[in-house]
Amino acid sequence: MRKMKKAIIFTLSAIMAISMLTGCGGGGEELSGTVSTDGSTSMEKVIGALGESFEGNNEGVTFTYNPTGSGSGITAVAEGRCDIGLASRSLKDEEKAEGLVETVLAYDGIAVIVNPENPVEDLTMEQIADIFTGKITNWKDVGGADGEIVLIGREAGSGTRDGFESITETEEACAYRQELTSTGDVITTVAGNPNAIGYASLASISDEVKALKVGGVSPSEETIKDATYAIQRPFVLVTKEGTDLSDVAQAFFDYITGPDANAIIVEAGVVPAN
Amino acid sequence: MKSKKQLIENIIHGVFLILGLITVACVLVITIYLLVAGIPAINKIGFMKFMFGTKWAPTASEPAYGILPFILTSVYGTSGAIILGVPVGFFTSVYLAKFASPKMKKIVETAVSLLAGIPSVVYGLVGMIVLVPAVRKVFNLPDGASLFAAIIILAIMILPSIIKVSMTSLEAVPPEYEEGSFALGATPVETYFRVSVTAAKSGIVAAIVLGVGRAIGEAMAVIMVSGNVANMPSLFQSVRFLTTAVSSEMSYVSAGSLHQQALFSIALVLFFFIMLINACLNFFLKRDKTN
């Protein structure tokens, strides 16, 4: 019996020690603990690369990323469920009123994508807006083959949709044929339908689809950086005012907004803001 | 010694009781949570406006929260799946229970079990890559993602539950019934359809109700093939189901907003539908037992 008691006490104290370690994030000279991020699925590539390199530089640090979507990420910060929230849109006024603070990490270009079989290469902003609002319904009106345009969009609340619609000024007016719930689904669907047009963040575009030029400018790092490519949006880090980040989370925040991280951000296909 | 044994016995009883109560507690917590989270939005929007409104535009500057398109889509989609799936499932189960050779029966049964084990996301993926483009080409539509594609996927997904449950009830028909029928000179087809199926009626109805439950609760597969736009349902239009209405917007909605509460209200409506279906199922199963 006594042996058992000892074993139980030992296990309990071990569990407590572990939970203290992870809970308080260490606090010594050496960085250790967990940085948790939560939010935008569009930011997966860039935040994943940054987290990996931060983990590589600091042994004993665990980085977690929960791809839930911008809205969920913002909620998670507000409720204190993660250190840093990730949003692929600027904060709304009501969110700022809750004491949330945004820091722009990078700019992401939203590419307008069509099937590679589609002969159309270039559209103006007006043409894009007219297509998505249903004023232009046939590809032959914009220099393509005869065929009904199929609009592929994202669900209400998606950061990409919000970004695309606000930039092209088509909010509440888009007559989508399909509203899909992820960037990957949009690309797969556009790749499977020669008359489809959709949008997705430039970082996740693959060869299966063709990114159109907008007003003669093709989407690329350079054109997004010098703001000649018109359809772009911010990638935002969300923190809560008045709540200090843990040492390790603060170190991570400083690292990714500092100059050392720019090379990694560029490699992830987006344009650093700092 | 005896009291020690008694003590252990009592402890184990207690543990089992707690384990049993966990299930009850889960159901209670979910029900209460859904009611608490779902009712405020219905009150705020207005019951009639919410249930019978035809426009869903939660992020618009003048938001509209009408879920009639979702309710009708779920009802039409489920009915379509039943119309396509029940004949196939029913005849398959009669064949397996009564006509098939043991070897054939084993092969088909294994296939049905495998069909039941395929995750719904795989149905969705195959639907998205194979079925949707096929529907587009066959019917010469601009786009194939539609209620029709969702119905086909759902019809396939409900097959295993229909086949398995009806088969079990057909096999449970006492052999004397069939032997009596044969003795009177009836052919096997007459016997199986007039005697066995009649005797197994409640079990087969239960199987169909189970299929309805499976179809109305499915989200992952239909979200990938139905196009997911909140249109009033039409066979070759992009549509959104009750389940997908909740899941597609939940991840992006801001907490505490009316939009989020309205999604909980949709979940509550869905929950109510499923409770109704479960009540039907219980009714048929009980009737089966008392007979």
Side-chain angles (χ1 to χ4, degrees):
Chain A
M1 257 335 248
R2 187 175 267 175
K3 227 178 195 173
M4 199 139 141
K5 240 183 202 164
K6 250 186 185 169
I8 291 173
I9 290 172
F10 179 76
T11 327
L12 279 179
S13 50
I15 291 172
M16 275 171 77
I18 291 168
S19 59
M20 272 170 82
L21 265 178
T22 52
C24 306
E29 262 95 276
E30 286 269 310
L31 279 173
S32 67
T34 305
V35 187
S36 57
T37 61
D38 191 316
S40 171
T41 51
S42 309
M43 288 173 72
E44 177 164 11
K45 213 168 168 181
V46 60
I47 205 71
L50 289 169
E52 237 170 62
S53 96
F54 187 68
E55 274 183 335
N57 297 343
N58 301 278
E59 258 181 69
V61 172
T62 314
F63 169 81
T64 64
Y65 160 64
N66 200 4
T68 52
S70 301
S72 299
I74 294 166
T75 313
V77 186
E79 291 174 357
R81 281 185 284 113
C82 72
D83 295 318
I84 300 169
L86 310 170
S88 46
R89 59 168 168 82
S90 294
L91 290 181
K92 294 174 187 164
D93 289 339
E94 59 192 67
E95 288 160 349
K96 283 182 182 158
E98 282 177 50
L100 297 176
V101 182
E102 65 175 29
T103 311
V104 178
L105 173 70
Y107 292 98
D108 175 36
I110 298 173
V112 178
I113 52 172
V114 294
N115 194 282
E117 285 173 32
N118 195 321
V120 174
E121 294 284 346
D122 189 351
L123 293 173
T124 64
M125 275 294 252
E126 290 76 43
Q127 281 174 323
I128 291 172
D130 284 349
I131 286 174
F132 276 88
T133 50
K135 276 184 207 142
I136 298 174
T137 56
N138 198 305
W139 280 111
K140 68 179 182 207
D141 295 339
V142 289
D146 187 15
E148 193 183 329
I149 298 173
V150 175
L151 300 175
I152 309 295
R154 294 287 306 276
E155 77 278 25
S158 148
T160 317
R161 169 165 167 175
D162 190 46
F164 176 82
E165 292 188 356
S166 58
I167 297 163
T168 56
E169 293 174 357
T170 55
E171 289 126 313
E172 301 171 30
C174 287
Y176 295 115
R177 176 65 218 232
Q178 288 201 46
E179 288 177 28
L180 300 171
T181 51
S182 78
T183 302
D185 286 353
V186 171
I187 291 173
T188 310
T189 305
V190 172
N193 188 336
N195 290 324
I197 184 168
Y199 47 79
S201 82
L202 183 63
S204 43
I205 300 293
S206 62
D207 292 341
E208 289 175 277
V209 291
K210 183 169 76 176
L212 292 178
K213 290 179 191 168
V214 176
V217 184
S218 55
S220 73
E221 238 171 73
E222 292 74 40
T223 55
I224 289 165
K225 203 180 280 175
D226 64 21
T228 49
Y229 182 74
I231 307 177
Q232 49 175 300
R233 63 175 170 160
F235 275 174
V236 171
L237 303 171
V238 186
T239 48
K240 200 171 182 182
E241 202 167 27
T243 318
D244 284 332
L245 291 173
S246 67
D247 289 347
V248 59
Q250 186 63 50
F252 178 69
F253 189 90
D254 294 342
Y255 169 68
I256 61 175
T257 52
D260 295 344
N262 283 357
I264 299 162
I265 296 175
V266 168
E267 208 165 290
V270 290
V271 181
N274 301 292
Chain B
M1 234 15 224
K2 199 160 193 191
S3 70
K4 199 179 173 191
K5 253 187 187 164
Q6 191 62 43
L7 184 71
I8 292 174
E9 195 79 356
N10 283 344
I11 289 174
I12 289 178
H13 274 217
V15 169
F16 285 177
L17 179 69
I18 290 169
L19 292 180
L21 287 180
I22 287 175
T23 317
V24 179
C26 287
V27 173
L28 275 181
V29 167
I30 292 173
T31 312
I32 293 168
Y33 181 77
L34 267 181
L35 286 173
V36 170
I39 287 178
I42 297 182
N43 279 339
K44 230 177 274 177
I45 298 159
F47 181 78
M48 295 305 278
K49 253 190 179 166
F50 181 69
M51 296 293 282
F52 299 106
T54 56
K55 194 171 166 228
W56 175 261
T59 53
S61 51
E62 276 175 43
Y65 298 95
I67 65 162
L68 190 65
F70 308 151
I71 296 177
L72 287 182
T73 301
S74 275
V75 171
Y76 291 175
T78 307
S79 321
I82 292 299
I83 290 169
L84 289 184
V86 165
V88 178
F90 170 68
F91 288 116
T92 309
S93 64
V94 174
Y95 171 74
L96 288 181
K98 302 298 172 192
F99 295 101
S101 67
K103 200 175 162 194
M104 193 64 199
K105 187 174 167 182
K106 206 176 167 193
I107 294 173
V108 179
E109 263 198 292
T110 315
V112 170
S113 304
L114 281 176
L115 200 62
I118 295 174
S120 56
V121 65
V122 175
Y123 280 100
L125 193 68
V126 174
M128 191 177 193
I129 293 169
V130 180
L131 182 67
V132 170
V135 168
R136 176 170 61 83
K137 282 184 193 128
V138 170
F139 296 95
N140 200 17
L141 301 167
D143 188 43
S146 56
L147 180 59
F148 182 74
I151 286 175
I152 292 187
I153 292 278
L154 286 176
I156 297 169
M157 290 184 78
I158 63 172
L159 276 182
S161 30
I162 294 179
I163 294 174
K164 283 196 158 173
V165 177
S166 349
M167 216 175 101
T168 316
S169 64
L170 279 169
E171 279 172 344
V173 172
E176 298 84 25
Y177 289 17
E178 287 159 12
E179 281 156 14
S181 167
F182 286 136
L184 289 170
T187 64
V189 173
E190 281 171 342
T191 304
Y192 296 141
F193 281 97
R194 297 243 172 109
V195 177
S196 315
V197 169
T198 314
K201 207 169 53 191
S202 353
I204 293 168
V205 174
I208 295 169
V209 177
L210 208 64
V212 174
R214 177 109 162 86
I216 204 165
E218 178 52 44
M220 198 63 223
V222 295
I223 205 172
M224 295 170 87
V225 300
S226 66
N228 211 26
V229 179
N231 292 323
M232 284 300 265
S234 134
L235 197 56
F236 292 112
Q237 260 298 333
S238 171
V239 291
R240 194 185 291 184
F241 290 72
L242 279 170
T243 47
T244 52
V246 179
S247 64
S248 66
E249 286 176 8
M250 195 53 101
S251 63
Y252 277 110
V253 80
S254 51
S257 60
L258 184 60
H259 185 189
Q260 188 189 39
Q261 290 174 348
L263 293 184
F264 283 121
S265 308
I266 298 178
L268 183 65
V269 172
L270 181 66
F271 185 72
F272 176 74
F273 271 105
I274 290 181
M275 282 292 145
L276 204 70
I277 290 162
N278 268 336
C280 292
L281 186 67
N282 275 337
F283 172 75
F284 285 117
L285 287 180
K286 255 192 202 132
R287 207 178 60 175
D288 206 16
K289 254 179 210 159
T290 47
N291 279 1

